[in-house]
Amino acid sequence: MSAARESSTGAARDVSSGAARRVDARARNHPAYWAFIVHRVSGFALALFLPLHFWALCQAIAGEARLETFLRWTDNPLVKFAEWGLVLLLAAHLSGGLRLLALEFLPWRDWQKSLAAGAAGLALVAALAFALAL
Amino acid sequence: MSESGTEDAGMLQVRIWRSGEDGGGFREYRVPRQASQTVLDVVTHVQRKLDPALAYRYACRVGMCGSCAMTVNGVSRWTCRTHVSKVAADGRLEIAPLANLPVVKDLVADMREFFDKWARAQGQFAGATTRHDAFAQVSPVSEARQAVDAGIECIGCGVCYSSCDVVAWNPDYLGPAALNRAWTLHQDERDAAQAERLRAVAGDAGCHACHTHMSCTERCPKHISPTAGIAGLKRAVAMAALKGEL
Ligand code: HEM
Ligand code: SF4
Ligand code: SF4
Ligand code: FES
C-alpha cells in the first residue's frame, strides 16, 4: 500500500523507507466506534435474514397447508427466541440509522454520545416490548 | 515482567518502534519516571541517553506546531502535551509512528500525502479583493463565523488522519483534517472559490466516504470535530447538487 502512496506523491525524492502502520485496535475503543460496529453487524445480519423471509413468503404462495406447517414451526420457543433477536437487530439498526441521519442532517450539537446511548436504549426498549408481548 | 518490586519502581518499561531492513520492530528501554513527565520527554531521554540513532520529530513542545504526534499505547496523540501519568498507569509505554502514513524512519511519519490532500481539498483561501479594498467586516457572532472558530485551531498534527479507518480502507480519501480545512473555508464569507471547493470535496474520496466513526473527533488534541465539518460538507454538497451548482 505504501508503494502506491509513494508513487502518487512522486518517487523522485523518496525518503520513506517503511510501510504505513495500521490503525491499532486500541484506538477504536470509544462509543461512536462501537455504535458503528453494532450498526454494521446488525445491517449484515438483517441482510442475511432477507432470503429466509422471502422463502417464508414463498410458502404462503405455495399453498395454505404449507404455510400452516411453517407457522406452526414458528411457535417453537427456539424460533420465538430467534425472532426476538431479529427484532433487537432491527431496532438496533433502525435507531443507529436514525442517530446517523440526525448527526449528519441536523445542525451539529455536542450530544453525539448521548445520542448513541439513546439509540442503544431505544433498541433495547423496543426488543423488550416485543419480547413481553410474545 | 510483572510486579518485580522496588527494583522497577520509578522506572518506565518503554517499547519504541525502530524501522529496519526487515520491516522494523519494537525495541525495549528503561526510562526513569519523573514528575510531570510527558511522552515526548521519555522519547527525548531515550534519544539523548540510551540510543542516539533514534529518529523522532518535534519543535515547539507546547502543542502549537503539530510535529510531535505519535501512536502511544495504540492511540494517536500529541506527545509533547500527553503526560505519562495519563497514558501509562501501569508504567508501560508503547510508542510507534502515526498510522496510515509511510514511515521515514523510526517514529517519523512521512506527512507529504497528508498535506498534499489539503491542497487537493482546495485548502487554500481564495480571496476576491486586493490590498486596495477595505477590510471585510465579518460578524463574530454570525453562525458561519462560529463554525469557522470551531475548526480553525487545527495544528496539522495528523492525529485524526492516523485514527481514521476510512483512510486505511481508501488511500485516496482526503481525510478528516483536509476536509475540516475545506469546511472552515466553505464557511468563510470572503472566499470566492466555493463551487470549486465543493467539487473538490464531493465524491468517493471526499466527504461522502466518511462513515461517521468519529475516531477523528475522539482523538483530536485541539478538540475539533472534523466529523461535524464533514457532515456540513455532505449537506452543502447535497444542496449544491440539488440546485445544479456542482
Ligand atoms: C431492514 C433492513 C435493513 C438492512 C438489511 C440494512 C442493511 C444495511 C447495511 C448492510 C449497511 C452498511 C453498513 C455500513 O456501511 O457500515 C447499512 C447502512 C445504513 N443503514 Fe441500513 N439496513 C436496513 C434498514 C435500515 C433502516 C430502517 C434504516 C434507517 C432508518 C437504515 C439506515 C442506514 C444508514 C443511515 C446506513 C449508513 C451507515 C454507514 O454509513 O455506515 N437501514 N444498512
Ligand atoms: S468521522 Fe469520518 S473522517 Fe472522522 S475518523 Fe470517522 S470516518 Fe474518518
Ligand atoms: S483536526 Fe485535530 S487531529 Fe486533525 S490535524 Fe488538526 S489538530 Fe490534528
Ligand atoms: S512539539 Fe509542537 S505540538 Fe508537540
Side-chain angles (χ1 to χ4, degrees):
Chain A
M1 184 157 48
S2 93
R5 284 184 195 192
E6 282 165 30
S7 65
S8 72
T9 48
R13 43 183 197 98
D14 227 324
V15 294
S16 310
S17 60
R21 290 174 58 80
R22 301 161 70 92
V23 179
D24 193 289
R26 284 169 288 183
R28 301 195 177 107
N29 191 9
H30 60 88
Y33 202 89
W34 283 108
F36 159 73
I37 296 285
V38 168
H39 197 245
R40 176 154 288 189
V41 169
S42 60
F44 272 113
L46 287 170
L48 290 179
F49 164 75
L50 271 181
L52 188 71
H53 182 61
F54 289 139
W55 178 82
L57 292 180
C58 286
Q59 299 307 298
I61 296 173
E64 214 162 309
R66 290 189 57 182
L67 182 67
E68 227 6 77
T69 342
F70 175 73
L71 288 182
R72 223 166 306 125
W73 175 72
T74 61
D75 281 338
N76 188 322
L78 211 67
V79 178
K80 282 273 184 255
F81 182 71
E83 274 175 0
W84 175 79
L86 195 67
V87 172
L88 177 66
L89 284 178
L90 185 62
H93 192 82
L94 181 86
S95 33
L98 291 176
R99 163 188 167 266
L100 281 172
L101 295 173
L103 283 181
E104 297 193 354
F105 287 104
L106 300 179
W108 186 271
R109 298 280 149 70
D110 267 337
W111 29 258
Q112 325 96 330
K113 281 179 194 167
S114 341
L115 216 58
L122 211 69
L124 219 64
V125 166
L128 289 176
F130 181 82
L132 293 173
L134 278 183
Chain B
M1 263 183 285
S2 57
E3 305 298 301
S4 47
T6 46
E7 188 215 332
D8 270 356
M11 280 304 219
L12 290 165
Q13 310 285 339
V14 185
R15 303 172 72 229
I16 296 185
W17 178 264
R18 303 300 308 271
S19 42
E21 304 284 298
D22 54 347
F26 284 100
R27 203 177 289 173
E28 304 221 9
Y29 306 89
R30 283 157 52 84
V31 177
R33 183 77 176 85
Q34 240 129 45
S36 304
Q37 194 174 21
T38 65
V39 174
L40 186 62
D41 291 336
V42 171
V43 176
T44 299
H45 177 93
V46 170
Q47 202 254 8
R48 301 262 161 97
K49 300 275 165 56
L50 306 174
D51 196 344
L54 174 66
Y56 69 117
R57 189 161 47 203
Y58 75 96
C60 73
R61 300 187 286 97
V62 291
M64 291 179 70
C65 71
S67 62
C68 67
M70 300 170 201
T71 307
V72 182
N73 287 350
V75 175
S76 307
R77 298 182 183 279
W78 53 0
T79 54
C80 71
R81 294 195 61 185
T82 300
H83 279 260
V84 170
S85 57
K86 186 183 162 197
V87 289
D90 62 352
R92 284 159 197 275
L93 280 174
E94 181 194 293
I95 306 172
L98 290 178
N100 290 338
L101 290 161
V103 177
V104 177
K105 182 176 184 288
D106 302 337
L107 300 173
V108 179
D110 184 343
M111 306 296 285
R112 279 179 295 178
E113 185 79 1
F114 175 72
F115 286 116
D116 284 350
K117 286 177 176 178
W118 287 45
R120 240 180 281 160
Q122 280 275 340
Q124 318 83 346
F125 173 71
T129 55
T130 71
R131 69 183 65 194
H132 306 296
D133 294 300
F135 285 115
Q137 306 264 338
V138 180
S139 163
V141 296
S142 70
E143 211 172 294
R145 187 64 185 82
Q146 305 262 318
V148 174
D149 270 350
I152 203 66
E153 296 287 345
C154 171
I155 56 175
C157 63
V159 160
C160 53
Y161 191 87
S162 165
S163 308
C164 176
D165 276 313
V166 176
V167 173
W169 296 342
N170 176 3
D172 288 331
Y173 178 44
L174 294 171
L179 291 170
N180 175 70
R181 173 64 183 154
W183 168 248
T184 59
L185 288 167
H186 174 74
Q187 294 292 330
D188 189 331
E189 60 187 63
R190 303 164 305 160
D191 189 279
Q194 296 299 349
E196 291 94 313
R197 186 167 301 104
L198 284 186
R199 265 196 294 280
V201 302
D204 245 16
C207 58
H208 291 106
C210 167
H211 279 266
T212 316
H213 297 161
M214 303 214 290
S215 296
C216 52
T217 303
E218 188 73 24
R219 305 297 173 211
C220 172
K222 299 291 291 180
H223 301 296
I224 293 169
S225 176
T227 320
I230 294 169
L233 287 175
K234 286 178 181 172
R235 293 193 300 270
V237 167
M239 286 304 285
L242 282 178
K243 291 190 200 148
E245 291 168 359
L246 273 194

